[in-house]
Amino acid sequence: MKVTHISIVGYGVYNYPEGMNGWQFVRFEYLSDTTPYTAMECHVWLPPDTNTCKLEDLLNEGI
């Protein structure tokens, strides 16, 4: 299965780990046009000032 695009989905964080206040917890979804579900998912912490829309666009340009 070939990944055709990536989607970044944000989570609401109610209790931050120590030292992570303000960071964003997101899920990267690796998607394919040939399946109705995600090919793979990955959870990451992003710095507070990360623009997830621009990051998603940048990642998709590279596919």
Side-chain angles (χ1 to χ4, degrees):
M1 168 180 356
K2 180 179 182 333
V3 172
T4 55
H5 57 286
I6 297 170
S7 176
I8 299 176
V9 180
Y11 284 92
V13 178
Y14 298 101
N15 295 307
Y16 287 93
E18 187 175 335
M20 300 291 284
N21 285 346
W23 281 60
Q24 302 175 64
F25 188 62
V26 300
R27 178 179 75 236
F28 285 32
E29 293 182 341
Y30 299 85
L31 303 158
S32 171
D33 289 338
T34 60
T35 60
Y37 50 86
T38 60
M40 186 174 74
E41 296 179 354
C42 155
H43 295 89
V44 297
W45 286 96
L46 297 174
D49 59 346
T50 302
N51 183 325
T52 55
C53 292
K54 286 184 181 180
L55 177 58
E56 187 175 285
D57 290 343
L58 179 66
L59 292 170
N60 283 308
E61 287 173 13
I63 295 178

